[in-house]
Amino acid sequence: MKATMDKLVNLCKGRGIIYPGSEIYGGMGNTWDYGPVGVEIKNNIKRAWWKRFVQESENSYGIDAAILMNSRVWEASGHTTSFSDPKMDCKNCKTRHRADTLIEMHSKGKVNPDTMTNEEMEAYIREHHVTCPKCGKSDFTPIRTFNLMFETTRGVTEEGQNVVYLRPETAQGEFVNFLNVQRTTRAKVPFGIGQIGKAFRNEITPGNFIFRTIEFEQMEHQWFCKKGTDGEYYEYFKKAAWDFLVDLDFDPSHLRYKDHDKLAHYAKAACDIQYLFPIGWSELNGIHNRTDYDLSRHSQFSGKNMEYTDPVTGEKYVPYVIEYSIGADRLMLAALTEAYDEETLEGGDTRVVMRFSPAIAAYKAAVLPLQKNLSEGARAIYRKLSKEFMCTYDEAGSIGKRYRRQDEIGTPFCVTVDFDTEKDGTVTVRDRDTMEQIRISADKLVPYIAEKIRF
Ligand code: GAP
């Protein structure tokens, strides 16, 4: 692994992948803006996920639920009462920390704070003289819990104002639409609902670039099944989540399963797939067996019967849910880490090359005229390719420098237009990874590239 967080942040900023949020105002902690290259990669990641888990999954349906939901949703889900982090302030420098993160950092991941109560965490920090990462002192306030949901109000007059929350996960949109989707699609259990959308959490822990942000996108899929089949589907989604990453060219040795040591009160089983990020092994996605908790709670709080009636046996039951949840931004960071390579070339130069799976690369091809006076023909090829896939065009600087620029954003193919193109209609196609070049007819470019970027 050659990527460090600093190298990724610098490359992303310099190459239009990701910029610090609100930068001209000095930024805003834990927010990032995707640039022209980054938005393409992220959209491709989301498309690949949707294709795999909605389009190609015969019994799965997509939705796009509202971010703002009736506040009762968050009472039913338990978020208003228990979606909080254990925070403590350093009495010396006044920095706020998550107690569990302090313990994890101090013990270098050997102690798992998930299994500890607040009192146990306080005792550990005291007895092990855990220090503040900012000032080095070991003098903290007792733990206080802070709800992670962003709150706002709706209504124009003070009296009529109601508290609403920016959703902290997309999953609840899928649960509250269970009946709608089942009725309108006539889906039979087992079936799935998938969704991609923004979620918001008032995180105070160091973000580590886009690993942990206060606004992020989730790709979540809930599989509704009958109790008794849940174990088998849990295993199925563990494997499907892993296969998705491997098919995006992730090296399996950079991935591992990690069962949760402490299960949420409603969960029967839960596991993460961790990735070897520059910050070490950390959660990339989660797979949870949520039992019938979510639908039962919504039934209880809304008064609506969330039971499913088996059309053959007439049996009524509240389905179990297997949830697969992955952050689009976190997957983007993993994809950036995985793709980053520094290669020493003959002659001693180093090239930085982002070896993205072609399916998620921002531009599938860059069209480069060898000289500016070839631009007319080159632009015509660019326009033709752009009708099929996202492409870029560059005629500034030496051809070598232009290849390097494309390598740094991971463009899999560079199409060079030269004087022979005018004579016989052929172009050179340079492969990003091998740097080998082949000569093909410009008319064959579309099928040639389409074949290689298929996911
Ligand atoms: N519905 C279940 C749920 O939300 P989670 O483990 O809290 O579970 C699921 O989040 C995934 O969302 C994580 O595995 C991670 O990929 C992503 N995620 C969570 N919090 C995030 C944050 N603050 N910034 C970026 N991604 C985040």
Side-chain angles (χ1 to χ4, degrees):
M1 294 281 240
K2 297 182 184 158
T4 64
M5 210 59 112
D6 283 347
K7 284 180 183 173
L8 290 181
V9 172
N10 288 334
L11 178 85
C12 285
K13 192 173 168 191
R15 288 285 172 241
I17 303 175
I18 299 168
Y19 314 117
S22 323
E23 196 183 6
I24 61 168
Y25 287 97
M28 171 162 159
N30 290 358
T31 66
W32 298 89
D33 295 341
Y34 285 76
V37 176
V39 69
E40 296 301 332
I41 300 171
K42 190 171 163 189
N43 282 342
N44 291 337
I45 286 174
K46 290 189 285 182
R47 257 183 230 121
W49 186 89
W50 192 265
K51 181 164 186 281
R52 178 64 57 92
F53 292 98
V54 178
Q55 181 181 328
E56 291 174 7
S57 170
E58 217 175 293
N59 223 12
S60 285
Y61 304 88
I63 61 162
D64 183 14
I67 287 173
L68 302 176
M69 304 178 82
N70 188 311
S71 296
R72 295 273 289 160
V73 168
W74 307 112
E75 288 170 34
S77 68
H79 282 83
T80 44
T81 46
S82 58
F83 191 55
S84 52
D85 276 344
K87 307 275 166 65
M88 46 192 352
D89 294 339
C90 169
K91 286 190 190 161
N92 181 52
C93 70
K94 314 288 180 231
T95 316
R96 184 159 289 170
H97 301 281
R98 264 175 73 163
D100 50 348
T101 310
L102 287 175
I103 294 173
E104 264 169 15
M105 279 164 52
H106 178 84
S107 68
K108 299 201 168 53
K110 292 203 183 87
V111 176
N112 182 1
D114 288 354
T115 55
M116 293 175 161
T117 63
N118 284 356
E119 291 70 32
E120 285 166 345
M121 283 195 277
E122 280 174 1
Y124 181 96
I125 287 169
R126 213 172 34 246
E127 284 156 21
H128 292 81
H129 304 289
V130 175
T131 53
C132 167
K134 184 146 180 234
C135 72
K137 288 267 175 349
S138 180
D139 190 9
F140 296 99
T141 60
I143 290 176
R144 283 185 296 156
T145 46
F146 282 86
N147 197 290
L148 287 176
M149 284 199 292
F150 280 104
E151 231 178 83
T152 185
T153 48
R154 72 165 298 187
V156 278
T157 59
E158 291 243 327
E159 290 151 39
Q161 283 185 341
N162 293 316
V163 170
V164 285
Y165 301 97
L166 301 188
R167 68 179 174 200
E169 61 172 13
T170 57
Q172 299 304 323
E174 292 156 50
F175 300 136
V176 301
N177 280 296
F178 166 74
L179 292 176
N180 280 337
V181 173
Q182 197 275 322
R183 182 172 44 82
T184 50
T185 61
R186 292 173 291 123
K188 293 191 180 67
V189 167
F191 73 93
I193 303 181
Q195 170 168 223
I196 299 178
K198 289 265 183 181
F200 305 81
R201 294 182 190 180
N202 203 351
E203 307 268 9
I204 62 128
T205 25
N208 285 318
F209 195 25
I210 52 169
F211 181 82
R212 192 184 304 286
T213 47
I214 56 178
E215 174 183 341
F216 55 99
E217 274 183 282
Q218 284 187 316
M219 308 190 284
E220 297 202 291
H221 185 273
Q222 315 295 334
W223 185 251
F224 300 93
C225 59
K226 190 172 180 189
K227 181 179 176 181
T229 62
D230 50 309
E232 167 201 334
Y233 287 121
Y234 177 69
E235 292 305 324
Y236 172 88
F237 278 100
K238 271 175 73 172
K239 180 169 181 324
W242 180 282
D243 290 347
F244 174 62
L245 297 168
V246 173
D247 291 346
L248 283 178
D249 292 350
F250 278 74
D251 180 337
S253 72
H254 300 159
L255 300 169
R256 69 181 187 193
Y257 289 113
K258 176 83 177 66
D259 286 331
H260 287 201
D261 295 316
K262 189 169 125 188
L263 291 178
H265 58 281
Y266 52 81
K268 193 167 151 189
C271 119
D272 295 337
I273 292 179
Q274 294 187 330
Y275 174 69
L276 190 53
F277 287 97
I279 50 171
W281 286 103
S282 309
E283 175 185 344
L284 173 55
N285 67 234
I287 299 105
H288 313 120
N289 182 341
R290 304 181 63 116
T291 67
D292 58 0
Y293 175 81
D294 304 281
L295 294 183
S296 301
R297 290 281 288 189
H298 285 304
S299 191
Q300 190 188 330
F301 278 70
S302 68
K304 292 273 177 306
N305 184 357
M306 303 292 259
E307 279 176 329
Y308 170 76
T309 308
D310 187 303
V312 178
T313 62
E315 185 189 355
K316 288 181 188 300
Y317 60 89
V318 177
Y320 267 41
V321 171
I322 306 301
E323 173 181 72
Y324 157 46
S325 175
I326 180 163
D329 310 85
R330 199 166 287 182
L331 180 52
M332 173 93 180
L333 179 60
L336 288 165
T337 310
E338 192 70 7
Y340 187 92
D341 193 15
E342 288 168 8
E343 190 181 16
T344 309
L345 303 170
E346 280 173 35
D349 277 358
T350 304
R351 75 164 180 147
V352 169
V353 51
M354 295 299 279
R355 300 186 191 278
F356 291 121
S357 153
I360 60 165
Y363 303 119
K364 307 309 179 195
V367 181
L368 316 172
L370 196 60
Q371 291 184 3
K372 277 199 180 148
N373 57 2
L374 293 163
S375 71
E376 201 180 313
R379 280 188 186 280
I381 291 174
Y382 166 72
R383 281 195 296 273
K384 191 172 165 201
L385 294 185
S386 296
K387 287 195 187 299
E388 307 297 327
F389 1 82
M390 200 72 200
C391 295
T392 182
Y393 178 86
D394 188 4
E395 57 181 30
S398 74
I399 193 75
K401 285 213 175 101
R402 282 183 274 161
Y403 285 152
R404 291 287 170 278
R405 277 204 289 270
Q406 296 307 323
D407 289 344
E408 288 187 10
I409 57 173
T411 308
F413 303 106
C414 283
V415 175
T416 310
V417 174
D418 56 24
F419 293 101
D420 285 341
T421 314
E422 289 187 328
K423 285 189 230 144
D424 61 9
T426 60
V427 291
T428 301
V429 179
R430 171 190 179 268
D431 182 283
R432 173 196 68 199
D433 296 334
T434 61
M435 294 190 288
E436 273 166 19
Q437 306 198 0
I438 57 159
R439 190 118 202 137
I440 66 169
S441 161
D443 291 340
K444 301 237 164 71
L445 279 172
V446 169
Y448 178 81
I449 296 170
E451 222 278 303
K452 309 231 178 237
I453 64 173
R454 186 169 302 127
F455 179 72

